[in-house]
Structure formats: structure tokens, C-alpha cells
Amino acid sequence: MRLQPLRRNIFPTSGTFSYNPTRIVWIAVFLLLLTSALISKRSNRKYEIQFFDTNISDYIDFNELKSDRIDNIIIRTFENRNPPKGLLFQNSDYRELGTFLKRMVAKRQIAEKIDNSSTLWGWMISRNFNWIQQTHLYDQRYIDGKLERIPKYDLFNEAAVQKIVEIYGELAHHALDGILIQDDLIIKYNEGMSIHGNRWFRRETGIPANLQKMIRKGNYYNREWVKIKKKRVIAVLNRIVDRIKAVNPRITVGMNLYYETPLFIDRGELWYAHNLSELLDSRLDLIYLMSYQNQIQREMKTSEKENRALFKRIVEAAYRLAGDRLVVKIQLYDWKSGVRISRRRALAYLKLIPRKVKRICFTPVKRTDLKFVKKIIRKAR
């Protein structure tokens, strides 16, 4: 008896499965929609770049950057590094340095009329006006057993706070989409020791200030002083946000946050007078986590493996608290060496950020880095 070769009917016409062209089409449509949804889920992350330099206005194309998935551009609105020092926008108190902000705003407005364009934010200081001559507005710190005046606005001095709030209001009059508050809206562990701070301490506690006890961790004076400073920072922050929104309610306001704050809560409170949960109860829109991987590794003295694990823990802790209000910052240049990190390193740390985090900011970016950043974004999809 000759055995017949086994024949398999790929599309049987009877039994549990029947060949149905309509069904095949619907399955194909379903798979296509599922694939599109997955791609959309992966690509709905927003990318931002923060420029430190101001020599970029002739090289920025807002429409082109938007098409390359760079959704937001952050530019400085102050100069406190090298003379001449001042502000890069028209204001009532300080020298206006050039027309950089005006030119960038004009380019953004033109681009917006043409097509989809990246948004434009201004990055602004709150305390470090280190060129000011009004020394009565200066803060004081307690160091080596003595008081020392420092060229920062005193957050316990109402006249200084009014200056800060007014300046943010003047910046908000420019056609910006957002304002990023610099990392100087803090009170360090030995700052705030002016006569105004001392009066604030006595008013809140009912006892005279004792500077040595106030900066020494673990006693009543220190605990109360930390609470007072945190409360004052948030009060000033809310006044800044309210002033900005009163001028232009469409402006989004974010603030830089030190990397220690989400995970090492005591350090955030003692060193900076910041507590992330309490800051999120303010009227601030977004938190920009300064999760600078190179800085973290240098300061925490970690191996590369340890650093990646720590970076991941910091970001996850911040996301648990801030959710969609979180923006994670990736450091493009090493602060000490000035050398740009490799694309491989940037991608390695990007992969450690949970997909649920919707906004990533690269900083600092130079105009010559635009192609580099675009390649990172394309690779990260």
C-alpha cells in the first residue's frame, strides 16, 4: 500500500477555523491600530533643550526643531557670570544687556504663524543678583563663627522679595510660553541669618535667635529654623507664580530642583529648605529635576554601576511624588572638564528613566550640539 503524502490545508473551509477574507482584513486593521498605539505611546514624550549661551538667535529654527521632536527651548534671561552683568530683558531696575530675548521672542512668534513650532521659555534667577549695589537687600550667612554679607537677595527682607516679584512680573510681559526659576530659590543651611531672619525666627518661635544652635543639626532651634525657611521659600515662590500668572495666565512656571531632594529628604530640607511634597502643594506647574548624572557620580563618589542605580532611584522617587509635573534633566557636558558626554552615555541614562515620565530636558546645550541632540532623540524612540 502506497502512503499518500500528508497535505495540510492552510486555510481549511470547515472545522474550528474557516477562511474568511473579511475576518482577515479586520485582524490586519486591529494589528495596525495596535502597532500605531504602541508607537504613539513611545513617542508622546516631550524633549526640551536648555541653552547657557546667548549666541544662538541666528541659528535657531523653531519649526525645524519642532519637526525634530524638540518641543521646548529654554534660554537665559540674565547674565551673572562675567561682566557686564545684568538682565537680558527690559526692566525697571537693572541694565538691559542687548536684544537677545527680543530677537528670540520675535523668531518664535513668526514661526508660530508659519507652522507648528517649539515653545520658548525664559530661565531666570531669584536671589543671585551678584552685581547689585543695594547692600541693604543682601542676605547674611553664618560661617566660621561670624556673620558674612553675601550678594544674594534676602528672602526674609520684604523689600528684597518685592524686587524679586516685580522682576518676574516684568519678564512675564514678554511673549514667553514658560519661565524656569533657577536653582537659587533656596536658603542654604547657614543663610538667612540677617537681622530680618533673626526677627522672623523670634516671631515664629517666641525665643531669640541663636545662630550656632540654628545651624547645628538635631536640636529644637535647628528644627524650627528649617521649618521657617521651608515655609518662607514656598511663600515667596507662590508670590512669584501669582505675579507671573497675573500678567499672563498662559505662562507655565517650572523650577529647578536639586537631585538630593526627592530621595534624601533630610538633606533637601537642611541644605536647601526644599521638600518636594511641600513644593508640589505650591502653585508651581512643573518641577525640573537636576538629575545631572556626572555631577551625581562625582559628588556621591559612585562607580558607574552604582551611579546608574542611584540615578534610577532618584528619578523614580521624584516621579512617585510629582507624576506628570516632573521634568527630568540630562547633563550633556561635564561641569568640571567641559567635555560633552558621549551619545552612548546619554542613551544609557535615558533608558533608566521610566516611560511614564513625559518630559526630558537636555542641558547645557550649545548651538553646535543640535545635531547631536537630534540623533539621541531619534535613537531613543
Side-chain angles (χ1 to χ4, degrees):
M1 177 179 179
R2 180 180 295 178
L3 293 175
Q4 297 294 323
L6 180 64
R7 295 180 181 177
R8 178 174 296 170
N9 191 347
I10 298 176
F11 299 110
T13 56
S14 62
T16 58
F17 177 83
S18 60
Y19 174 64
N20 186 326
T22 304
R23 180 181 294 179
I24 296 296
V25 170
W26 278 110
I27 291 172
V29 170
F30 172 76
L31 291 174
L32 180 63
L33 291 173
L34 180 62
T35 303
S36 299
L38 290 172
I39 292 172
S40 174
K41 188 174 181 181
R42 284 181 58 84
S43 62
N44 64 357
R45 177 174 276 177
K46 293 182 180 294
Y47 291 98
E48 310 180 18
I49 54 177
Q50 181 178 5
F51 288 100
F52 278 27
D53 297 326
T54 58
N55 60 344
I56 61 169
S57 56
D58 293 335
Y59 304 91
I60 296 299
D61 185 323
F62 285 89
N63 303 119
E64 181 182 329
L65 289 174
K66 179 67 175 180
S67 68
D68 288 318
R69 291 195 59 206
I70 296 175
D71 299 282
N72 187 33
I73 298 168
I74 304 172
I75 59 173
R76 69 165 55 242
T77 62
F78 62 96
E79 181 53 75
N80 63 355
R81 299 168 297 178
N82 303 303
K85 298 179 180 182
L87 301 179
L88 301 173
F89 59 93
Q90 187 175 0
N91 66 95
S92 56
D93 279 302
Y94 302 113
R95 179 192 302 177
E96 180 184 2
L97 302 176
T99 59
F100 170 63
L101 182 61
K102 289 179 183 176
R103 283 182 282 125
M104 289 295 288
V105 166
K107 290 194 74 168
R108 156 75 171 126
Q109 290 174 325
I110 292 170
E112 191 176 23
K113 293 176 182 177
I114 297 172
D115 200 353
N116 290 336
S117 77
S118 303
T119 51
L120 180 65
W121 279 41
W123 163 40
M124 181 60 189
I125 51 175
S126 300
R127 298 188 63 207
N128 289 338
F129 290 75
N130 55 18
W131 66 87
I132 62 176
Q133 302 301 315
Q134 303 134 310
T135 56
H136 66 285
L137 301 178
Y138 279 5
D139 193 7
Q140 288 183 285
R141 66 181 178 185
Y142 188 69
I143 186 167
D144 297 330
K146 60 183 180 181
L147 280 172
E148 177 181 276
R149 196 179 297 275
I150 52 176
K152 296 181 180 180
Y153 276 137
D154 179 4
L155 294 188
F156 291 106
N157 184 336
E158 180 57 27
V161 172
Q162 288 179 9
K163 286 276 189 187
I164 296 169
V165 173
E166 287 169 9
I167 289 169
Y168 273 100
E170 290 175 330
L171 178 59
H173 277 287
H174 296 76
L176 292 165
D177 300 288
I179 293 175
L180 175 62
I181 299 171
Q182 169 65 323
D183 58 18
D184 62 342
L185 191 56
I186 62 173
I187 306 175
K188 292 183 179 179
Y189 80 99
N190 63 345
E191 294 180 351
M193 300 295 189
S194 67
I195 187 173
H196 303 281
N198 291 347
R199 288 172 180 166
W200 210 280
F201 182 86
R202 182 161 192 162
R203 190 184 73 186
E204 293 291 314
T205 64
I207 58 177
N210 183 311
L211 304 188
Q212 290 183 333
K213 290 182 179 180
M214 285 160 67
I215 67 171
R216 191 183 307 135
K217 182 180 177 182
N219 65 79
Y220 173 79
Y221 283 81
N222 178 255
R223 288 192 294 269
E224 291 302 306
W225 183 228
V226 169
K227 290 178 187 176
I228 291 167
K229 289 191 295 180
K230 289 191 299 172
K231 185 178 177 181
R232 187 56 178 164
V233 167
I234 289 177
V236 175
L237 172 61
N238 279 333
R239 287 174 64 178
I240 290 171
V241 176
D242 288 347
R243 181 70 179 119
I244 292 170
K245 303 279 189 180
V247 174
N248 184 352
R250 294 172 298 187
I251 289 181
T252 305
V253 184
M255 185 173 76
N256 278 330
L257 184 81
Y258 285 88
Y259 70 81
E260 298 96 340
T261 309
L263 192 59
F264 306 104
I265 297 172
D266 287 348
R267 296 183 195 177
E269 293 184 337
L270 288 167
W271 295 354
Y272 312 118
H274 276 186
N275 177 292
L276 180 53
S277 295
E278 294 170 7
L279 288 170
L280 289 166
D281 287 335
S282 74
R283 292 187 275 280
L284 194 65
D285 295 309
L286 296 173
I287 293 288
Y288 279 71
L289 178 64
M290 297 188 294
S291 46
Y292 301 146
Q293 69 285 343
N294 285 33
Q295 179 180 340
I296 294 171
Q297 188 166 19
R298 177 175 286 108
E299 293 180 353
M300 302 297 284
K301 297 179 172 58
T302 56
S303 67
E304 182 60 26
K305 183 178 179 181
E306 292 168 338
N307 200 58
R308 293 188 185 190
L310 178 57
F311 175 91
K312 192 171 188 292
R313 287 176 60 208
I314 289 170
V315 173
E316 288 175 346
Y319 182 78
R320 281 195 297 271
L321 293 171
D324 289 344
R325 293 169 72 184
L326 177 67
V327 185
V328 175
K329 301 181 85 172
I330 294 287
Q331 181 183 2
L332 274 198
Y333 281 83
D334 188 273
W335 307 130
K336 295 289 185 182
S337 68
V339 175
R340 190 176 71 185
I341 68 171
S342 67
R343 187 174 15 152
R344 183 177 179 181
R345 183 171 176 80
L347 287 167
Y349 280 89
L350 268 177
K351 288 178 181 177
L352 297 174
I353 301 171
R355 290 300 312 178
K356 294 177 289 187
V357 175
K358 300 302 182 188
R359 299 174 76 121
I360 306 290
C361 179
F362 296 102
T363 184
V365 175
K366 301 176 182 178
R367 61 180 177 83
T368 52
D369 297 322
L370 291 176
K371 288 183 180 179
F372 178 75
V373 173
K374 292 173 186 178
K375 288 178 181 178
I376 293 173
I377 294 172
R378 283 199 296 269
K379 196 75 174 177
R381 289 184 180 182

